[in-house]
Each structure stands twice: as structure tokens, then as C-alpha cells.
Amino acid sequence: MSNKKSLSTNLAWLYVLIAGALEIVWASGFKYESVPMFAVIISLIISFDLIIKATSVLPVGTVYAVFAGIGTVGTVVVEAVASNGISFARVGIILFLLLCIVGLKVTSKGSEG
């Protein structure tokens, strides 16, 4: 792995954000037929490729938690929009999850050994 550090930390975090957004697409595509199957497959492949690249620079545990958190929040929002509603309890839990994701990102340093 001679190019392990060729990816900057900022670019790696951008990869995580894009991968998380793509996770919303493929996860929602499992439920909603309006999302074309090719979009589901392409977004799934690209999201995991970006995550693999990001973990070459960033801590894998933090990357996965942020990735999954973005996907979780995003799919809950998609579900709320599709069903025309969301409870206050869910909003509170989502805000807490976002706080935890930001906390993980802020406290991460380099790569886990």
C-alpha cells in the first residue's frame, strides 16, 4: 500500500460524506420502487469504494459510524417525507445521533492502529 497517505484527511472526510449520501439512495431504493435498480446498485458500489478509500487515512471505526449515521438520518428523513410525518421523539433521537456523529468526527485523530 504505497499510496496509503496520498489521500488528504479533508478529501477522505468528503468521501465519507458522499458515501453517506449515496447510502441514503441505495437504502431507500430497497423500499421505494421509484428508485431505479441500476441507481441502487451503482450508488452501493460507489459508496463502499469511497468508504474503503477513506479508511486508508481515517480511523475505520469513526468512518463507519459517521457513514452509518448519515445513512440512518437520511433514510429516516426520506421516510418522514414519504409518510408525511415524524414524531418529536424521533426528531430528538436523530438530533442526538447527529451530535454523536459530530463528536466522533471532532475527536478522531489519524488512523487507528
Side-chain angles (χ1 to χ4, degrees), residues 37-101:
M37 188 55 63
F38 72 90
V40 171
I41 294 168
I42 296 299
S43 62
L44 190 138
I45 291 168
I46 294 171
S47 70
F48 279 98
D49 181 57
L50 292 172
I51 288 300
I52 290 166
K53 289 177 181 173
T55 57
S56 71
V57 176
L58 302 171
V60 68
T62 303
V63 166
Y64 185 72
V66 172
F67 168 73
I70 292 169
T72 301
V73 171
T75 54
V76 168
V77 169
V78 168
E79 186 72 20
V81 169
S83 67
N84 295 320
I86 190 167
S87 69
F88 285 117
R90 271 194 141 178
V91 170
I93 292 167
I94 290 170
L95 290 175
F96 180 69
L97 177 60
L98 286 171
L99 177 66
C100 293
I101 292 169

Side-chain angles (χ1 to χ4, degrees), residues 96-110:
F96 180 69
L97 177 60
L98 286 171
L99 177 66
C100 293
I101 292 169
V102 170
L104 281 170
K105 198 253 182 239
V106 170
T107 60
S108 72
K109 293 181 179 149

